[in-house]
Amino acid sequence: MSDPRMNTFHRRLPGVVYGGDYNPEQWPREVWQEDVRLMRAAGVRLVSLGVFSWSVLEPADGRFDFSWLDEIMDLLWTNGIHVNLATPNAAPPPWLATDFPEILSVDRQGVRHAIGSRGHFCPSSPVYRDRSRRIATELAERYRKHPGLAMWHIGNEYHSDCFCDRCDDRFRAWLRQRYGTLDELNRRWGTTFWSQRYSDWSQVHLPQPVRGWVNPSRELDFSRFTSDNLLELVTQERDLLHAITPDVPVTTNFFGCRLTDSHRWAKELDVVAFDCYPDPGKPHSLAVAAFQYDLMRSLGNGRPWMLMEQAAGAVSQWKTNQVKQPGRMRLGSYQAVAHGSDAVMFFQWRASPQGQEKFHSAMLPHGGEKTRTWQEVKALGNELRAIDEVATAHTGAQVAIVWDWQNWWAVEGCAHPDNAFDYRDTVARHYRALWHSQVAVDVVTLDDDLSPYRVLVVPNQYLMTRRQSTAVRKFVEDGGHLVVSYFSGIVDEDDRIHEGGYPGALREIVGAHVQEFSPLPAEAAVPVQAPAEKAALSGFFATASVWQDDLETETARPLAVYRKGHLAGKAAVTEHELGRGRAVYIGTRLDDDALEALVQHVLDLAGVRPVHAAPRGVEVTERRTRTSAYLFLLNHRQDKATVTLDRSGTDLITGRRVEAGETLVLDAADVAVVRSSPATSLPSEPPSGDS
Ligand code: GLA
Ligand code: ZN
């Protein structure tokens, strides 16, 4: 990540950036005039241009037509609007696929994709790579001096995996690089199982359909390869863009894709950008959004990131596409800023009249200026000016939760004790417990520096390297509080069991071992309670489902035990003191309330306090600069909520002075951003006597 480039960006575009994807090539020129007029009215300052315009910019191989782009770049700039210019590689034009069918991706069954949609490229195709780089170079050379060029947007939502022969070749080359010798590959993949031992590199392939299950280490490496192979497309374009326009930051938009390990990707970008589409029809989607936003901030080591796309209303890609109720788009936008975004951007500016996404909402709907959506979009764009000073402010957290792509790939592998396991859902449940506790959370991997944190929540980290288990041990011994849930510390980076009893990589840290995994039938619910003599969690009652570890405590003590079933009387949750810290191990899936109570217990023990006291359903975050603290209060509830302030300051949105002790009333879906001087309150400070 490069701060100088982002500093340049902030000088051009100070404050919270507002805008969206703009696709003027879909419209006649008269409409462009109306576009810029309305953009100005709504406070739009940055548009992502050209994301899907390859076929218009290059109608035939090597024949370019930039006339319309010249015109629109100038028109935007004359109106004070900057451009986040895309390299258009996400949708190769028909001529490219017709002239060079090899550029089309191939699915796992060996079927080559046809044209007519997007993302249909083979990431290994030399022709695709060459033509992508060529048009990126043309764009960069042409607009390098354009005053409106503020950022580069490489491709769009990379998610094109491919199983063609070229990818197969590259996969083999990637493996040779990783393992050096075939013997090493055989050892690391455990190929003596089911007689898979390779005697020549030519026998090694990407995981095509096999009879039954494919070797899980091979599948895991293919996931790693796919992420690396796609990332190479980004770094190649980034390098050429940096060479031509050294001051312009480069990004690509993430969307939580399973194929791309964003921890690795983020290190290669100047700023993290994210597309977020919380489903208004799903009860937990705002907690999921909060998690994703914390992840985006953490990917950039705490630096602000950009909400590159969201919907102004409904999307069109789901089965039922619910609208955002009045005020909820505004609230969701502030939520992103509350978690560290310095931008509020949409897909897209003007609703398309044709094509696959004509029913997707836009800042400017088909119905035009009279629509509720437009009114809300316009109002928000203007209102955001009041919080411009929040941009560049950071967030500090004492709690971290682990989210790890490598584990995602491995933990959902084949032939596990529980093959319905959903990593995303599991992490979301653990995060939700923290979200309801209203503490600030970073999202890390176990390779990150864990020393800033007092509490570390590790949901089902099946894949754990030796190095990671050493880091976790050090974290606990140095005084950290660890919460780790079942099926963690089971295998190493090769998907090989850590021997010596489960969880091999954590056994000494949790002070217990698992005799047997004992998954439960779908409907089963086993009551769990604190042992009578244990005061710490007295009153704790939970329902266990999905899974039970048959847990033998060694140096740990039970915090909660099963009350029924074949494991009645045995530990469901344990606690282990190690060094100056503590490890809490959860050997089952606890119901949401119990998980929250347990997490709260650990937060209390660790002395981590909420960012600010607030009723349930009011989200609280804080961003800070050296001179100011910005408290965000977001009322996600369907009714009014009151918050008694612990600080004096100014509500930036209303401009009103507020005093400590005053009760702030937030209407349903309303938000307040209170600026104070950091000295008035340090909610993330440890309790006295514990340092
Ligand atoms: C993604 C894409 C956009 C658009 C939206 C629709 O984020 O990047 O082009 O398809 O989804 O929600
Ligand atoms: Zn391919």
Side-chain angles (χ1 to χ4, degrees):
M1 302 241 166
S2 152
D3 285 321
R5 286 192 195 95
M6 281 313 288
N7 292 343
T8 307
F9 178 85
H10 284 299
R11 270 197 302 279
R12 286 165 187 269
L13 279 155
V16 177
V17 169
Y18 199 59
D21 277 32
Y22 181 37
N23 298 300
E25 67 274 28
Q26 297 174 10
W27 297 93
R29 287 190 171 45
E30 315 80 83
V31 177
W32 298 2
Q33 296 298 333
E34 190 189 61
D35 283 336
V36 289
R37 176 177 66 80
L38 293 176
M39 283 179 189
R40 288 174 60 150
V44 166
R45 297 193 295 148
L46 181 71
V47 293
S48 304
L49 202 59
V51 180
F52 296 106
S53 62
W54 197 346
S55 67
V56 179
L57 288 173
E58 189 180 0
D61 198 1
R63 183 154 63 74
F64 296 99
D65 174 12
F66 294 110
S67 53
W68 66 273
L69 191 54
D70 292 350
E71 215 177 303
I72 196 78
M73 292 276 295
D74 290 348
L75 178 65
L76 288 164
W77 180 241
T78 317
N79 285 276
I81 299 159
H82 283 83
V83 170
N84 174 27
L85 191 56
T87 65
N89 66 49
W95 61 259
L96 186 52
T98 310
D99 295 356
F100 307 96
E102 58 145 279
I103 73 108
L104 291 168
S105 49
V106 170
D107 75 8
R108 195 183 280 258
Q109 271 61 45
V111 177
R112 206 171 269 284
H113 293 128
I115 57 170
S117 184
R118 60 177 173 178
H120 47 270
F121 58 85
C122 163
S124 302
S125 156
V127 176
Y128 169 74
R129 287 180 172 219
D130 174 70
R131 298 307 191 274
S132 302
R133 280 196 303 259
R134 185 173 70 187
I135 191 158
T137 309
E138 291 283 334
L139 286 165
E141 294 288 3
R142 191 168 188 95
Y143 300 108
R144 63 193 298 173
K145 298 232 167 69
H146 199 288
L149 176 67
M151 181 169 278
W152 288 107
H153 180 296
I154 298 184
N156 191 64
E157 294 192 342
Y158 278 86
H159 65 278
S160 302
D161 53 350
C162 181
F163 294 78
C164 78
D165 292 345
R166 267 214 172 75
C167 287
D168 194 46
D169 285 342
R170 285 181 71 84
F171 180 49
R172 231 174 348 267
W174 183 93
L175 291 169
R176 287 185 100 126
Q177 175 85 22
R178 183 174 172 89
Y179 296 121
T181 66
L182 200 53
D183 278 352
E184 181 68 357
L185 178 137
N186 277 312
R187 191 179 71 76
R188 303 276 292 271
W189 282 10
T191 55
T192 45
F193 190 79
W194 282 358
S195 178
Q196 302 165 73
R197 224 182 145 72
Y198 300 104
S199 55
D200 190 277
W201 277 104
S202 64
Q203 299 153 7
V204 182
H205 296 288
L206 51 72
Q208 294 130 333
V210 295
R211 189 177 169 86
W213 294 308
V214 81
N215 178 313
S217 310
R218 177 176 164 201
E219 188 70 45
L220 177 59
D221 269 348
F222 185 64
S223 297
R224 291 181 174 128
F225 160 76
T226 298
S227 178
D228 286 0
N229 200 30
L230 286 168
L231 179 57
E232 206 175 275
L233 302 178
V234 176
T235 55
Q236 286 184 356
E237 285 199 17
R238 176 206 61 195
D239 290 348
L240 77 84
L241 296 170
H242 278 171
I244 300 169
T245 54
D247 301 332
V248 181
V250 172
T251 194
T252 186
N253 46 345
F254 294 149
F255 67 114
C257 178
R258 190 174 192 269
L259 297 179
T260 54
D261 180 346
S262 305
H263 290 291
R264 287 171 189 237
W265 283 52
K267 292 187 178 62
E268 305 292 343
L269 303 169
D270 293 315
V271 62
V272 168
F274 186 57
D275 300 345
C276 193
Y277 293 92
D279 185 347
K282 290 198 177 144
H284 299 309
S285 65
L286 291 168
V288 171
F291 165 74
Q292 291 172 318
Y293 297 161
D294 284 342
L295 170 61
M296 292 306 130
R297 189 188 66 246
S298 305
L299 288 176
N301 288 323
R303 290 188 190 80
W305 53 280
M306 297 175 76
L307 179 66
M308 195 58 93
E309 289 182 24
Q310 65 166 340
V315 300
S316 57
Q317 59 266 39
W318 302 327
K319 198 155 185 208
T320 306
N321 299 289
Q322 296 194 22
V323 298
K324 292 183 175 172
Q325 297 289 321
R328 299 287 160 172
M329 179 279 289
R330 171 179 180 260
L331 182 62
S333 303
Y334 278 107
Q335 187 190 20
V337 179
H339 286 268
S341 178
D342 279 355
V344 173
M345 306 208 16
F346 298 80
F347 175 85
Q348 58 178 331
W349 161 251
R350 183 187 277 275
S352 298
Q354 288 183 298
Q356 286 94 323
E357 297 192 303
K358 57 184 170 297
F359 292 114
H360 194 289
S361 63
M363 299 170 83
L364 187 59
H366 293 143
E369 290 175 74
K370 289 200 190 71
T371 54
R372 166 175 77 86
T373 296
W374 167 254
Q375 293 302 325
E376 289 190 26
V377 162
K378 184 173 143 191
L380 176 63
N382 289 294
E383 186 183 80
L384 282 174
R385 298 289 62 80
I387 63 156
D388 269 342
E389 62 182 89
V390 169
T392 73
H394 282 231
T395 297
Q398 294 186 316
V399 179
I401 186 169
V402 172
W403 168 266
D404 181 354
W405 265 264
Q406 308 273 324
N407 184 53
W408 190 4
W409 298 328
V411 72
E412 293 179 359
C414 68
H416 283 187
D418 169 18
N419 290 306
F421 183 77
D422 181 337
Y423 182 54
R424 261 192 296 200
D425 178 62
T426 298
V427 177
R429 293 183 67 250
H430 287 77
Y431 179 84
R432 223 150 53 221
L434 295 166
W435 194 62
H436 286 304
S437 307
Q438 292 158 324
V439 295
V441 180
D442 281 348
V443 183
V444 300
T445 72
L446 295 176
D447 293 322
D448 290 323
D449 176 13
L450 304 176
S451 64
Y453 306 109
R454 301 176 142 249
V455 174
L456 176 65
V457 177
V458 183
N460 305 58
Q461 184 74 18
Y462 162 75
L463 188 157
M464 198 178 283
T465 63
R466 278 280 159 216
R467 193 166 157 261
Q468 291 176 336
S469 91
T470 307
V472 172
R473 185 181 185 116
K474 183 165 176 2
F475 169 79
V476 176
E477 285 176 345
D478 290 352
H481 290 69
L482 172 73
V483 178
V484 55
S485 49
Y486 70 89
F487 211 45
S488 288
I490 306 300
V491 299
D492 67 9
E493 64 269 40
D494 299 326
D495 202 35
R496 181 193 177 91
I497 299 286
H498 287 291
E499 286 173 75
Y502 313 127
L506 287 169
R507 183 171 174 166
E508 290 170 14
I509 302 169
V510 301
H513 70 272
V514 180
Q515 298 252 23
E516 258 176 344
F517 302 134
S518 185
L520 289 162
E523 307 308 323
V526 181
V528 168
Q529 258 176 318
E533 75 280 10
K534 177 71 202 174
L537 268 183
S538 62
F540 182 81
F541 179 81
T543 306
S545 61
V546 177
W547 179 285
Q548 288 180 293
D549 281 335
D550 182 349
L551 207 54
E552 292 290 325
T553 52
E554 292 163 2
T555 39
R557 60 173 176 276
L559 265 187
V561 297
Y562 298 109
R563 284 293 176 220
K564 285 202 176 121
H566 71 297
L567 297 178
K570 291 194 117 177
V573 183
T574 60
E575 181 181 46
H576 187 224
E577 273 154 33
L578 180 69
R580 292 190 285 124
R582 175 185 278 108
V584 170
Y585 180 81
I586 309 172
T588 183
R589 181 182 158 120
L590 298 173
D591 66 275
D592 282 6
D593 289 347
L595 182 59
E596 193 182 322
L598 186 64
V599 164
Q600 189 58 60
H601 166 72
V602 176
L603 292 171
D604 290 345
L605 286 174
V608 177
R609 289 182 289 166
V611 175
H612 193 286
R616 199 175 176 82
V618 175
E619 186 173 6
V620 189
T621 74
E622 194 186 60
R623 292 181 66 174
R624 282 177 182 226
T625 60
R626 224 171 291 125
T627 48
S628 301
Y630 300 95
L631 175 71
F632 286 77
L633 299 164
L634 307 143
N635 185 9
H636 294 295
R637 297 155 57 109
Q638 298 298 332
D639 59 355
K640 268 193 186 29
T642 55
V643 175
T644 304
L645 287 173
D646 69 358
R647 64 192 73 189
S648 303
T650 304
D651 178 350
L652 293 181
I653 298 177
T654 59
R656 201 169 65 79
R657 172 90 200 154
V658 292
E659 300 299 336
E662 177 180 332
T663 298
L664 212 64
V665 181
L666 289 169
D667 284 334
D670 205 2
V671 50
V673 184
V674 177
R675 179 190 56 211
S676 60
S677 99
T680 55
S681 141
L682 286 171
S684 50
E685 252 184 7
S688 55
D690 182 5
S691 58

